[in-house]
Amino acid sequence: MAEYMTETQRCSPAVPRPGAAGEPRQRTAGAAGPPDGQEAAALLERTRALVDPELRAAVESLPGPMRRVALYHFGWRHADGAPAAGNAGKAIRPALVLAAAAALGGPAARAAAVRAAAAVELVHNFTLLHDDVMDRDTSRRHRPTAWTVFGDTDAILAGDALLALALRLLAEDPHPGAAPAAARLAACVVELCAGQHADTDLERCAPDAVTLDEVLAMAEAKTGALLGCACALGALYAGAGEGEVAALDGFGRQAGLAFQLIDDVIGIWGDPRRTGKPAGADLAARKKSLPVVAALTSGTPAAAELAALYGKPHAGQTHPGEPDAGEIARAALLVERAGGRDWAQAEAADRMARAMQELARAVPDPEAAGGLLSLAEFVTRRTS
């Protein structure tokens, strides 16, 4: 357990804070810097090499109109159908499937779980296509979102098709872990939908009517559930027992909450050149992200001012087009002054500590769990 506690300390989130000129502040002498991430980067690259052919084959099997949208969404084609060398995403979720399988069953289990990894990535992209429509997000992976190019209907139908492909991949897989994996993935999709429903409900609530418990539960359903499911599917393909499967699901869920907390911090203070999204987009849309709700519930003068700002119609409603940059900057400052940023980073560290406890239950040998540890470290130390 001591080795895992050391990893927990290394996994403490470290999102850069902007200095006076917008550059990252210098670390104080003796402070531990973020890891170089080379192990995780190599693991993600290997995952893409293994999973992308399965993904491409599945997407290519779609009827023409949906295939065109999906190929664009994954970054493999331009809107006009010309080939593109785009960014299909980081592959964190399929990497978790393969790393979990390897941790419990070695290389053979990892090789057997490639189809399950592809299924998880298809489900993830189903949610992205739908979320972009519902949230009216206009940019993803440094290019216009699919609905802005092809329209709502085509984007929604392409997302539906990706979900069907995911379940078909598992249904056609002869591996003994495929049937329980399909059932678990289907249950996860229901939870994802419940989380998205809760998210849209919370957005309609008054700024002072949302609690941290509500938004944490929503985040677990929207983000933690699929990361937990990814780890559980890897365990199932390794032939693991019920206790190990449950522990790896718990690891993924807690790591997923840490991931979402850091994602929300990046959504407010991240560099658009790295994130591929406009600066402060969540604030412009009055999103009740985790740092924002922590700030709103802090009982500070900054919280009261933030609630008043969030209670007003935003620029996209009153003057469609570019949001008010000054208003966004003010909101970001109020979230920070009310403690939302510090709370989010501390909570992310706590969630990673819980994740390490779950991982130690499933994989007592830290060396065997190296891939999962590297990925957990990567998702909580990223800046985009």
Side-chain angles (χ1 to χ4, degrees), residues 66-342:
M66 288 177 285
R67 180 172 67 247
R68 182 182 177 193
V69 178
L71 288 170
Y72 171 84
H73 169 75
F74 276 104
W76 298 326
R77 296 277 176 176
H78 293 296
D80 62 3
N87 174 15
K90 297 180 179 69
I92 291 167
R93 291 154 189 83
L96 285 170
V97 176
L98 300 184
L104 291 172
R110 178 175 57 212
V114 168
R115 187 173 292 187
V120 168
E121 186 72 339
L122 286 167
V123 166
H124 173 53
N125 282 276
F126 142 73
T127 68
L128 296 182
L129 281 162
H130 282 205
D131 285 2
D132 285 344
V133 173
M134 286 183 273
D135 296 341
R136 311 315 284 173
D137 284 337
T138 58
S139 177
R140 180 174 294 281
R141 297 168 182 163
H142 304 277
R143 68 198 317 217
T145 46
W147 72 268
T148 67
V149 176
F150 301 100
D152 290 0
T153 299
D154 283 2
I156 291 169
L157 290 172
D160 293 341
L162 295 187
L163 173 58
L165 286 178
L167 295 175
R168 189 183 78 186
L169 282 180
L170 294 176
E172 294 176 349
D173 191 350
H175 191 280
R184 197 170 194 108
L185 187 59
C188 177
V189 171
V190 174
E191 188 174 356
L192 292 172
C193 292
Q196 179 65 15
H197 186 274
D199 190 19
T200 55
D201 269 359
L202 291 175
E203 293 309 310
R204 290 192 286 264
C205 293
D208 58 356
V210 178
T211 69
L212 266 178
D213 284 344
E214 287 175 320
V215 78
L216 281 167
M218 177 272 293
E220 180 176 348
K222 273 195 68 174
T223 304
L226 188 54
L227 270 70
C229 183
C231 295
L233 261 59
L236 287 169
Y237 270 71
E242 187 175 323
E244 293 167 316
V245 173
L248 277 185
D249 183 270
F251 161 76
R253 282 176 179 270
Q254 294 299 328
L257 271 173
F259 177 97
Q260 187 60 57
L261 284 152
I262 297 306
D263 196 63
D264 285 353
V265 170
I266 292 169
I268 297 174
W269 293 283
D271 183 346
R273 293 170 297 182
R274 295 179 63 87
T275 65
K277 295 183 179 182
D282 287 355
L283 295 175
R286 306 292 194 266
K287 292 283 291 182
K288 297 182 182 73
S289 63
L290 287 157
V292 167
V293 174
L296 287 169
T297 57
S298 66
T300 62
E305 185 178 345
L306 180 65
L309 190 156
Y310 254 57
K312 298 189 304 182
H314 57 78
Q317 295 172 325
T318 57
H319 302 288
E322 282 296 315
D324 185 333
E327 189 177 81
I328 292 172
R330 182 63 183 169
L333 182 62
L334 291 171
V335 174
E336 185 148 20
R337 284 181 175 174
R341 184 177 192 160
D342 287 341

